[in-house]
Coordinates of all heavy atoms in Angstrom, one line a residue:
M1 N -49.8 65.1 204.4 CA -50.0 64.3 205.5 C -51.2 64.9 206.3 O -51.3 66.1 206.5 CB -48.7 64.3 206.4 CG -48.8 63.2 207.4 SD -47.2 63.1 208.2 CE -47.6 63.3 209.9
S2 N -52.1 64.0 206.8 CA -53.2 64.6 207.6 C -52.8 64.8 209.0 O -51.9 64.2 209.6 CB -54.4 63.6 207.5 OG -54.1 62.4 208.2
S3 N -53.4 65.8 209.6 CA -53.2 66.1 211.1 C -54.5 66.0 211.8 O -55.6 66.0 211.2 CB -52.6 67.4 211.2 OG -53.5 68.4 210.8
F4 N -54.4 65.8 213.1 CA -55.6 65.7 213.9 C -55.5 66.6 215.1 O -54.4 66.5 215.8 CB -55.8 64.2 214.3 CG -57.0 64.0 215.2 CD1 -58.3 63.7 214.6 CD2 -57.0 64.0 216.5 CE1 -59.4 63.5 215.3 CE2 -58.1 63.8 217.3 CZ -59.3 63.5 216.7
D5 N -56.4 67.4 215.4 CA -56.3 68.2 216.6 C -57.7 68.2 217.3 O -58.6 67.6 216.8 CB -55.8 69.6 216.4 CG -56.7 70.4 215.5 OD1 -57.9 70.1 215.5 OD2 -56.2 71.4 214.9
E6 N -57.7 68.9 218.5 CA -59.0 68.8 219.3 C -60.1 69.4 218.6 O -61.3 69.0 218.7 CB -58.7 69.5 220.6 CG -58.0 68.6 221.6 CD -57.8 69.3 222.9 OE1 -58.7 70.2 223.3 OE2 -56.9 68.9 223.7
S7 N -59.9 70.5 217.7 CA -61.0 71.1 217.1 C -61.7 70.1 216.1 O -62.9 70.1 215.9 CB -60.7 72.4 216.4 OG -59.8 72.2 215.4
D8 N -60.8 69.3 215.4 CA -61.3 68.3 214.5 C -62.2 67.3 215.3 O -63.3 66.9 214.8 CB -60.2 67.5 213.8 CG -59.4 68.3 212.8 OD1 -60.0 69.2 212.3 OD2 -58.3 68.0 212.6
A9 N -61.7 66.9 216.5 CA -62.5 66.0 217.3 C -63.8 66.6 217.7 O -64.9 65.9 217.7 CB -61.7 65.6 218.6
F10 N -63.8 67.9 218.0 CA -65.0 68.6 218.5 C -66.0 68.6 217.3 O -67.2 68.3 217.5 CB -64.7 70.0 218.9 CG -65.9 70.7 219.4 CD1 -66.4 70.5 220.6 CD2 -66.5 71.7 218.5 CE1 -67.6 71.2 221.0 CE2 -67.6 72.3 218.9 CZ -68.2 72.1 220.2
E11 N -65.5 68.9 216.1 CA -66.4 69.0 214.9 C -67.0 67.6 214.6 O -68.1 67.5 214.3 CB -65.7 69.5 213.7 CG -65.5 71.1 213.8 CD -64.9 71.6 212.5 OE1 -64.9 70.9 211.5 OE2 -64.4 72.8 212.6
G12 N -66.1 66.6 214.8 CA -66.6 65.2 214.6 C -67.7 64.9 215.5 O -68.8 64.3 215.1
A13 N -67.6 65.2 216.8 CA -68.6 64.9 217.8 C -69.9 65.7 217.5 O -70.9 65.1 217.6 CB -68.1 65.3 219.2
S14 N -69.7 66.9 217.1 CA -70.9 67.7 216.8 C -71.6 67.2 215.6 O -72.9 67.2 215.5 CB -70.6 69.2 216.7 OG -70.7 69.7 215.5
L15 N -70.9 66.7 214.6 CA -71.5 66.0 213.4 C -72.3 64.8 213.8 O -73.4 64.6 213.4 CB -70.4 65.7 212.4 CG -70.8 65.1 211.0 CD1 -71.6 66.2 210.3 CD2 -69.7 64.6 210.2
A16 N -71.6 64.0 214.7 CA -72.3 62.8 215.2 C -73.6 63.2 215.9 O -74.6 62.5 215.8 CB -71.4 62.0 216.1
A17 N -73.5 64.2 216.7 CA -74.7 64.7 217.5 C -75.8 65.1 216.5 O -77.0 64.8 216.7 CB -74.3 65.8 218.5
R18 N -75.4 65.8 215.5 CA -76.4 66.3 214.5 C -77.0 65.1 213.8 O -78.2 65.1 213.5 CB -75.7 67.3 213.5 CG -75.4 68.7 214.1 CD -75.3 69.7 213.0 NE -74.3 69.4 212.1 CZ -73.0 69.8 212.2 NH1 -72.6 70.5 213.3 NH2 -72.1 69.5 211.3
A19 N -76.2 64.1 213.4 CA -76.7 63.0 212.7 C -77.7 62.2 213.6 O -78.8 61.8 213.2 CB -75.5 62.0 212.4
M20 N -77.4 62.1 214.9 CA -78.3 61.4 215.8 C -79.6 62.2 215.9 O -80.7 61.6 215.9 CB -77.7 61.3 217.3 CG -76.6 60.3 217.4 SD -77.2 58.6 217.1 CE -77.9 58.2 218.7
A21 N -79.5 63.5 216.0 CA -80.7 64.4 216.2 C -81.6 64.3 214.9 O -82.8 64.5 215.0 CB -80.3 65.8 216.5
A22 N -81.0 64.0 213.8 CA -81.7 63.9 212.5 C -82.3 62.6 212.2 O -82.9 62.4 211.2 CB -80.8 64.4 211.4
R23 N -82.1 61.6 213.1 CA -82.7 60.3 212.9 C -84.2 60.3 212.8 O -84.8 61.2 213.5 CB -82.3 59.3 214.0 CG -80.8 58.8 213.9 CD -80.3 58.4 215.3 NE -81.0 57.3 215.8 CZ -80.5 56.1 215.9 NH1 -79.2 55.9 215.6 NH2 -81.2 55.1 216.4
P24 N -84.8 59.5 212.1 CA -86.3 59.5 212.0 C -86.9 59.2 213.4 O -86.3 58.5 214.2 CB -86.6 58.3 211.0 CG -85.3 57.9 210.4 CD -84.2 58.4 211.2
A25 N -88.0 59.9 213.6 CA -88.7 59.7 214.9 C -90.2 59.5 214.7 O -91.0 60.3 215.0 CB -88.4 60.9 215.8
P26 N -90.5 58.3 214.0 CA -91.9 58.1 213.6 C -92.8 58.0 214.9 O -94.0 58.2 214.7 CB -91.9 56.7 212.9 CG -90.6 56.1 213.4 CD -89.6 57.2 213.6
Y27 N -92.3 57.6 216.0 CA -93.1 57.5 217.3 C -93.7 58.9 217.6 O -94.7 58.9 218.3 CB -92.2 57.0 218.4 CG -90.9 57.7 218.5 CD1 -90.8 58.9 219.3 CD2 -89.7 57.2 217.9 CE1 -89.6 59.6 219.4 CE2 -88.5 57.9 218.0 CZ -88.5 59.1 218.7 OH -87.3 59.8 218.8
L28 N -93.2 60.0 217.1 CA -93.7 61.3 217.5 C -95.1 61.5 216.8 O -96.0 62.2 217.3 CB -92.8 62.4 217.0 CG -91.5 62.6 217.7 CD1 -90.6 63.7 217.1 CD2 -91.7 62.8 219.2
D29 N -95.3 60.8 215.7 CA -96.6 60.9 215.0 C -97.8 60.3 215.8 O -98.9 60.6 215.4 CB -96.5 60.2 213.6 CG -95.5 60.8 212.7 OD1 -95.2 62.0 212.9 OD2 -95.0 60.1 211.8
D30 N -97.5 59.5 216.8 CA -98.6 58.8 217.6 C -99.0 59.7 218.7 O -99.8 59.3 219.5 CB -98.1 57.5 218.1 CG -97.8 56.5 217.0 OD1 -98.3 56.6 215.9 OD2 -96.9 55.6 217.3
L31 N -98.4 60.9 218.8 CA -98.7 61.8 220.0 C -99.7 62.9 219.6 O -99.6 63.4 218.5 CB -97.4 62.3 220.5 CG -96.3 61.3 220.9 CD1 -95.0 62.1 221.3 CD2 -96.8 60.4 222.1
N32 N -100.4 63.4 220.6 CA -101.2 64.6 220.4 C -100.3 65.8 220.7 O -99.1 65.6 221.1 CB -102.5 64.6 221.3 CG -102.2 64.6 222.8 OD1 -101.2 65.3 223.2 ND2 -103.0 64.0 223.6
P33 N -100.7 67.0 220.4 CA -99.8 68.2 220.4 C -99.2 68.4 221.8 O -98.0 68.7 222.0 CB -100.7 69.3 220.0 CG -101.7 68.7 219.1 CD -102.0 67.4 219.7
A34 N -100.0 68.2 222.9 CA -99.5 68.4 224.3 C -98.4 67.3 224.6 O -97.4 67.6 225.2 CB -100.6 68.3 225.3
Q35 N -98.7 66.1 224.2 CA -97.7 65.0 224.4 C -96.4 65.3 223.7 O -95.3 65.1 224.2 CB -98.3 63.6 224.0 CG -99.4 63.1 224.9 CD -100.0 61.9 224.3 OE1 -100.3 61.8 223.1 NE2 -100.3 60.9 225.1
R36 N -96.6 65.7 222.5 CA -95.4 65.9 221.6 C -94.6 67.1 222.2 O -93.3 67.0 222.2 CB -95.9 66.3 220.2 CG -94.7 66.3 219.2 CD -95.2 66.3 217.8 NE -94.0 66.5 217.0 CZ -93.8 66.0 215.8 NH1 -94.7 65.3 215.2 NH2 -92.7 66.3 215.1
E37 N -95.2 68.1 222.7 CA -94.5 69.2 223.3 C -93.7 68.7 224.5 O -92.5 69.0 224.7 CB -95.4 70.3 223.8 CG -94.7 71.5 224.3 CD -95.7 72.6 224.7 OE1 -96.9 72.4 224.6 OE2 -95.3 73.6 225.2
A38 N -94.3 67.8 225.3 CA -93.6 67.2 226.5 C -92.4 66.3 226.1 O -91.3 66.4 226.7 CB -94.6 66.5 227.4
V39 N -92.6 65.6 225.0 CA -91.6 64.6 224.6 C -90.4 65.3 224.0 O -89.3 64.9 224.2 CB -92.2 63.6 223.6 CG1 -91.2 62.8 222.9 CG2 -93.2 62.7 224.3
E40 N -90.7 66.4 223.3 CA -89.6 67.1 222.6 C -88.9 68.1 223.5 O -87.8 68.6 223.1 CB -90.2 67.8 221.3 CG -90.6 66.8 220.3 CD -90.8 67.4 218.9 OE1 -91.8 68.2 218.8 OE2 -90.1 67.1 218.0
A41 N -89.4 68.4 224.7 CA -88.7 69.3 225.6 C -87.7 68.5 226.4 O -87.9 67.9 227.5 CB -89.7 69.9 226.6
L42 N -86.5 68.3 225.8 CA -85.4 67.5 226.4 C -84.5 68.3 227.2 O -83.6 67.7 227.9 CB -84.7 66.7 225.3 CG -85.5 65.7 224.5 CD1 -84.6 65.0 223.4 CD2 -86.2 64.7 225.3
D43 N -84.5 69.6 227.2 CA -83.6 70.4 228.0 C -84.2 70.7 229.4 O -84.8 71.8 229.6 CB -83.3 71.7 227.3 CG -82.5 71.4 225.9 OD1 -81.6 70.6 226.0 OD2 -82.9 71.9 224.9
G44 N -84.0 69.8 230.3 CA -84.5 70.1 231.7 C -85.8 69.4 232.0 O -86.3 68.7 231.2
P45 N -86.3 69.7 233.2 CA -87.5 69.0 233.7 C -88.8 69.4 233.0 O -88.9 70.5 232.5 CB -87.5 69.4 235.2 CG -86.7 70.6 235.3 CD -85.8 70.7 234.2
V46 N -89.7 68.4 233.0 CA -91.0 68.6 232.5 C -92.0 68.1 233.5 O -91.9 67.0 234.0 CB -91.2 67.9 231.1 CG1 -92.7 67.9 230.7 CG2 -90.4 68.5 230.0
L47 N -93.0 68.9 233.8 CA -94.1 68.5 234.7 C -95.3 68.2 233.8 O -95.8 69.1 233.1 CB -94.4 69.5 235.7 CG -95.6 69.3 236.6 CD1 -95.4 68.1 237.5 CD2 -95.9 70.5 237.5
M48 N -95.9 67.0 233.9 CA -97.1 66.7 233.1 C -98.2 66.5 234.1 O -98.2 65.5 234.9 CB -96.9 65.4 232.3 CG -96.1 65.6 231.1 SD -96.1 64.1 230.1 CE -94.6 63.3 230.7
L49 N -99.2 67.4 234.1 CA -100.3 67.3 235.0 C -101.6 67.1 234.1 O -102.0 67.9 233.3 CB -100.5 68.6 235.7 CG -99.8 68.8 237.1 CD1 -100.2 70.1 237.7 CD2 -100.3 67.7 238.0
A50 N -102.2 65.9 234.2 CA -103.4 65.6 233.4 C -104.2 64.5 234.1 O -103.6 63.7 234.9 CB -103.0 65.3 232.0
G51 N -105.4 64.3 233.8 CA -106.3 63.3 234.4 C -105.8 61.9 234.0 O -105.0 61.7 233.1
A52 N -106.5 60.9 234.6 CA -106.2 59.5 234.3 C -106.6 59.2 232.9 O -107.7 59.6 232.4 CB -107.0 58.6 235.3
G53 N -105.8 58.4 232.3 CA -106.1 57.9 230.9 C -105.9 58.9 229.8 O -106.4 58.7 228.7
T54 N -105.2 60.0 230.1 CA -105.1 61.1 229.1 C -103.8 60.9 228.3 O -103.5 61.7 227.4 CB -105.1 62.5 229.8 OG1 -104.2 62.5 230.8 CG2 -106.5 62.8 230.3
G55 N -102.9 60.0 228.7 CA -101.7 59.7 227.9 C -100.4 60.2 228.6 O -99.4 60.4 227.9
K56 N -100.4 60.3 229.9 CA -99.1 60.7 230.6 C -98.1 59.7 230.5 O -96.9 60.0 230.1 CB -99.4 61.0 232.1 CG -100.4 62.1 232.3 CD -100.6 62.3 233.8 CE -101.1 61.1 234.6 NZ -102.5 60.7 234.1
T57 N -98.4 58.4 230.7 CA -97.4 57.3 230.7 C -96.9 57.2 229.2 O -95.7 56.9 229.0 CB -98.0 56.0 231.2 OG1 -98.4 56.2 232.6 CG2 -97.0 54.9 231.1
K58 N -97.8 57.3 228.3 CA -97.4 57.2 226.9 C -96.4 58.3 226.6 O -95.4 58.0 225.9 CB -98.6 57.4 226.0 CG -98.3 57.6 224.5 CD -98.8 56.5 223.7 CE -98.5 56.8 222.2 NZ -98.3 55.5 221.5
A59 N -96.6 59.5 227.0 CA -95.7 60.6 226.8 C -94.4 60.4 227.5 O -93.3 60.6 226.9 CB -96.3 61.9 227.3
L60 N -94.5 59.9 228.7 CA -93.3 59.6 229.5 C -92.4 58.6 228.9 O -91.2 58.8 228.7 CB -93.7 59.2 230.9 CG -92.6 59.0 232.0 CD1 -91.7 60.2 232.1 CD2 -93.2 58.7 233.3
T61 N -93.0 57.5 228.5 CA -92.2 56.4 227.9 C -91.7 56.8 226.5 O -90.5 56.5 226.1 CB -93.0 55.1 227.8 OG1 -94.3 55.4 227.1 CG2 -93.3 54.5 229.1
T62 N -92.4 57.6 225.8 CA -92.0 58.1 224.5 C -90.8 59.1 224.6 O -89.9 59.1 223.8 CB -93.1 58.7 223.7 OG1 -94.2 57.8 223.6 CG2 -92.7 59.1 222.3
R63 N -90.9 59.8 225.7 CA -89.8 60.8 226.0 C -88.5 60.0 226.2 O -87.4 60.5 225.8 CB -90.1 61.7 227.2 CG -89.3 62.9 227.4 CD -89.9 63.9 228.3 NE -89.2 65.1 228.5 CZ -88.3 65.3 229.5 NH1 -88.1 64.4 230.4 NH2 -87.7 66.5 229.6
L64 N -88.6 58.9 226.9 CA -87.4 58.1 227.1 C -86.8 57.6 225.8 O -85.6 57.6 225.5 CB -87.7 56.9 228.0 CG -88.2 57.2 229.4 CD1 -88.4 56.0 230.3 CD2 -87.2 58.1 230.2
V65 N -87.8 57.1 224.9 CA -87.4 56.7 223.6 C -86.7 57.8 222.8 O -85.6 57.6 222.2 CB -88.6 56.2 222.8 CG1 -88.3 56.0 221.3 CG2 -89.2 55.0 223.4
H66 N -87.2 59.0 222.9 CA -86.7 60.2 222.2 C -85.3 60.6 222.8 O -84.4 60.9 222.0 CB -87.7 61.4 222.4 CG -87.5 62.4 221.3 ND1 -87.3 62.2 220.0 CD2 -87.4 63.8 221.5 CE1 -87.2 63.3 219.3 NE2 -87.2 64.3 220.2
L67 N -85.1 60.5 224.1 CA -83.8 60.7 224.6 C -82.7 59.8 224.1 O -81.6 60.2 223.7 CB -83.8 60.5 226.2 CG -84.4 61.7 227.0 CD1 -84.6 61.2 228.4 CD2 -83.4 62.9 227.0
L68 N -83.1 58.5 223.9 CA -82.2 57.5 223.4 C -82.0 57.7 221.9 O -80.9 57.6 221.4 CB -82.7 56.1 223.7 CG -82.9 55.7 225.2 CD1 -83.6 54.4 225.3 CD2 -81.5 55.6 225.8
N69 N -83.1 57.9 221.2 CA -83.0 57.9 219.7 C -82.2 59.2 219.2 O -81.6 59.1 218.2 CB -84.4 58.0 219.1 CG -84.4 57.9 217.6 OD1 -83.8 57.0 217.0 ND2 -85.2 58.7 216.9
T70 N -82.3 60.2 220.0 CA -81.6 61.4 219.6 C -80.1 61.4 220.1 O -79.4 62.4 219.9 CB -82.3 62.7 220.1 OG1 -82.4 62.6 221.5 CG2 -83.6 62.9 219.4
G71 N -79.8 60.4 220.9 CA -78.4 60.3 221.4 C -78.2 61.3 222.6 O -77.1 61.5 223.0
R72 N -79.3 61.8 223.1 CA -79.1 62.7 224.3 C -78.8 62.0 225.6 O -78.3 62.6 226.5 CB -80.4 63.6 224.5 CG -80.7 64.5 223.3 CD -79.7 65.7 223.3 NE -79.9 66.5 224.5 CZ -80.7 67.5 224.5 NH1 -81.4 67.9 223.4 NH2 -80.9 68.2 225.6
A73 N -79.1 60.7 225.6 CA -78.7 59.9 226.8 C -78.5 58.5 226.4 O -79.1 58.0 225.4 CB -79.9 60.0 227.8
R74 N -77.6 57.8 227.1 CA -77.5 56.4 226.9 C -78.4 55.7 227.9 O -78.7 56.3 228.9 CB -76.0 56.0 227.2 CG -75.0 56.7 226.3 CD -73.6 56.1 226.5 NE -72.6 57.0 225.9 CZ -71.9 57.9 226.6 NH1 -72.0 57.9 227.9 NH2 -71.0 58.6 225.9
P75 N -78.7 54.4 227.6 CA -79.6 53.7 228.6 C -79.1 53.7 230.0 O -79.9 53.9 230.9 CB -79.6 52.3 228.0 CG -79.3 52.4 226.5 CD -78.4 53.6 226.4
N76 N -77.8 53.6 230.2 CA -77.3 53.6 231.6 C -77.2 55.0 232.2 O -76.8 55.2 233.3 CB -75.9 52.9 231.6 CG -74.8 53.7 230.9 OD1 -75.1 54.7 230.2 ND2 -73.6 53.3 231.0
E77 N -77.7 56.0 231.5 CA -77.8 57.4 232.1 C -79.2 57.7 232.4 O -79.5 58.9 232.8 CB -77.2 58.4 231.1 CG -75.7 58.2 230.8 CD -75.2 59.1 229.7 OE1 -76.0 59.3 228.7 OE2 -74.1 59.5 229.7
I78 N -80.1 56.8 232.3 CA -81.6 57.1 232.6 C -82.0 56.3 233.8 O -81.8 55.1 233.9 CB -82.4 56.7 231.4 CG1 -82.1 57.6 230.2 CG2 -83.9 56.8 231.8 CD1 -82.9 57.2 228.9
L79 N -82.5 57.0 234.8 CA -83.2 56.4 235.9 C -84.7 56.7 235.9 O -85.1 57.9 235.8 CB -82.6 57.0 237.2 CG -83.3 56.6 238.5 CD1 -83.0 55.1 238.8 CD2 -82.7 57.4 239.7
S80 N -85.5 55.7 235.8 CA -86.9 55.9 235.6 C -87.5 55.2 236.9 O -87.5 54.0 237.1 CB -87.4 55.2 234.3 OG -88.7 55.4 234.2
V81 N -88.2 56.1 237.7 CA -88.7 55.6 238.9 C -90.2 55.8 239.0 O -90.7 56.9 238.5 CB -88.1 56.4 240.1 CG1 -88.7 56.0 241.4 CG2 -86.6 56.3 240.1
T82 N -91.0 54.9 239.5 CA -92.4 55.1 239.6 C -92.8 54.5 241.0 O -92.0 53.9 241.7 CB -93.1 54.4 238.4 OG1 -94.5 54.7 238.5 CG2 -92.9 52.9 238.4
F83 N -94.1 54.6 241.3 CA -94.5 54.4 242.7 C -95.0 53.0 243.0 O -95.0 52.6 244.2 CB -95.6 55.4 243.1 CG -95.0 56.8 243.3 CD1 -95.2 57.8 242.3 CD2 -94.3 57.1 244.4 CE1 -94.6 59.0 242.4 CE2 -93.7 58.4 244.6 CZ -93.9 59.3 243.6
T84 N -95.6 52.3 242.1 CA -96.2 51.0 242.4 C -95.6 50.0 241.4 O -95.1 50.3 240.3 CB -97.7 51.0 242.2 OG1 -98.0 51.3 240.8 CG2 -98.4 52.1 243.0
N85 N -95.6 48.7 241.9 CA -95.1 47.6 241.0 C -95.9 47.5 239.7 O -95.4 47.3 238.7 CB -95.2 46.3 241.8 CG -94.1 46.2 242.8 OD1 -93.1 46.8 242.7 ND2 -94.4 45.4 243.9
K86 N -97.3 47.8 239.8 CA -98.1 47.8 238.6 C -97.6 48.8 237.6 O -97.4 48.5 236.4 CB -99.6 48.0 239.0 CG -100.5 48.0 237.9 CD -102.0 48.1 238.4 CE -103.0 48.2 237.3 NZ -103.1 49.6 236.7
A87 N -97.4 50.0 238.1 CA -96.9 51.1 237.2 C -95.5 50.8 236.7 O -95.2 51.0 235.5 CB -96.9 52.4 238.0
A88 N -94.7 50.2 237.5 CA -93.3 49.8 237.1 C -93.4 48.8 235.9 O -92.7 48.9 234.9 CB -92.5 49.3 238.2
R89 N -94.3 47.8 236.1 CA -94.4 46.8 235.0 C -94.9 47.4 233.7 O -94.5 47.1 232.7 CB -95.4 45.7 235.5 CG -94.8 44.6 236.4 CD -95.7 43.4 236.5 NE -97.0 43.7 237.2 CZ -97.1 43.7 238.5 NH1 -96.1 43.4 239.3 NH2 -98.3 44.1 239.1
E90 N -95.9 48.3 233.9 CA -96.4 49.0 232.7 C -95.3 49.8 232.0 O -95.2 49.7 230.8 CB -97.5 49.9 233.2 CG -98.4 50.5 232.1 CD -99.4 51.5 232.6 OE1 -100.3 51.0 233.4 OE2 -99.4 52.7 232.3
M91 N -94.5 50.5 232.8 CA -93.4 51.3 232.2 C -92.5 50.4 231.5 O -92.0 50.7 230.4 CB -92.7 52.1 233.3 CG -93.5 53.2 233.9 SD -93.5 54.7 233.0 CE -91.8 55.1 233.0
K92 N -92.1 49.3 232.1 CA -91.1 48.4 231.5 C -91.6 47.8 230.2 O -90.9 47.7 229.2 CB -90.8 47.2 232.6 CG -89.6 46.5 232.3 CD -89.3 45.5 233.4 CE -88.2 44.5 233.1 NZ -88.1 43.5 234.1
S93 N -92.9 47.3 230.2 CA -93.4 46.7 229.0 C -93.5 47.7 227.8 O -93.3 47.3 226.7 CB -94.7 46.0 229.3 OG -95.7 47.0 229.5
R94 N -93.8 48.9 228.2 CA -94.0 49.9 227.1 C -92.6 50.3 226.6 O -92.5 50.9 225.5 CB -94.7 51.1 227.6 CG -96.2 50.8 227.9 CD -97.0 52.0 227.8 NE -98.3 51.8 228.5 CZ -99.1 52.9 228.6 NH1 -98.9 54.0 228.1 NH2 -100.3 52.7 229.2
Ligands
ADP101 N1 -101.9 60.2 221.5 C1 -102.5 59.0 221.7 N2 -103.2 58.5 220.6 C2 -103.8 57.3 220.8 N3 -103.8 56.6 222.0 C3 -103.2 57.1 223.0 C4 -102.5 58.3 222.9 N4 -101.9 58.6 224.1 C5 -102.3 57.6 224.9 N5 -103.0 56.7 224.3 C6 -103.6 55.4 224.8 O1 -104.5 55.8 225.8 C7 -104.5 54.9 226.9 C8 -104.1 55.7 228.2 O2 -102.8 56.3 228.1 P1 -101.8 56.3 229.3 O3 -100.5 56.9 228.8 O4 -101.8 55.0 230.0 O5 -102.6 57.4 230.2 P2 -102.2 57.9 231.7 O6 -100.8 57.5 232.0 O7 -102.4 59.4 231.7 O8 -103.3 57.3 232.6 C9 -103.4 53.9 226.6 O9 -104.0 52.7 226.0 C10 -102.6 54.6 225.5 O10 -101.9 53.7 224.7
MG102 MG1 -100.1 56.3 233.6

């Protein structure tokens, strides 16, 4: 007869987390090395300081994709805030 205890549940969860982390992430191939570093740094805050048109918004929106794709966050756990309606529309469409 099979039994079930908390350690089985823990191992199951960690297996699911590992499976999520191993999902393909083709969107990373579209990034330059600095963007990729920012996108893959999921443990804590990241400050991106760069000039206009250098790819900050691309990195930011891809980081959100990466959080979701790796299972690190659910959509309802993400708050994405920006300063202007134009920027908000751009973030939403991307
Ligand atoms: N690594 C990249 N390779 C090709 N195009 C990119 C890359 N990063 C950004 N872009 C493109 O460059 C333009 C500016 O990027 P964007 O993220 O809006 O810059 P920023 O937010 O810094 O002003 C956009 O058209 C974007 O799609
Ligand atoms: Mg921008």
Side-chain angles (χ1 to χ4, degrees):
M1 195 173 125
S2 69
S3 65
F4 181 86
D5 64 23
E6 280 183 24
S7 68
D8 290 335
F10 180 80
E11 282 183 21
S14 111
L15 186 63
R18 286 202 301 273
M20 286 295 279
R23 281 158 65 113
Y27 49 84
L28 294 176
D29 297 337
D30 296 335
L31 303 174
N32 66 34
Q35 288 173 318
R36 191 165 171 149
E37 188 180 355
V39 167
E40 293 194 290
L42 296 182
D43 296 312
V46 168
L47 175 65
M48 283 185 269
L49 267 182
T54 54
K56 299 180 299 295
T57 298
K58 168 114 175 150
L60 184 55
T61 50
T62 306
R63 195 165 183 263
L64 300 181
V65 170
H66 200 44
L67 280 168
L68 296 171
N69 188 47
T70 55
R72 294 288 295 268
R74 300 186 194 103
N76 65 352
E77 294 171 328
I78 294 176
L79 174 66
S80 182
V81 178
T82 186
F83 289 102
T84 64
N85 286 331
K86 180 174 175 279
R89 276 194 298 273
E90 189 181 300
M91 293 279 294
K92 195 173 170 187
S93 70
R94 291 208 201 173

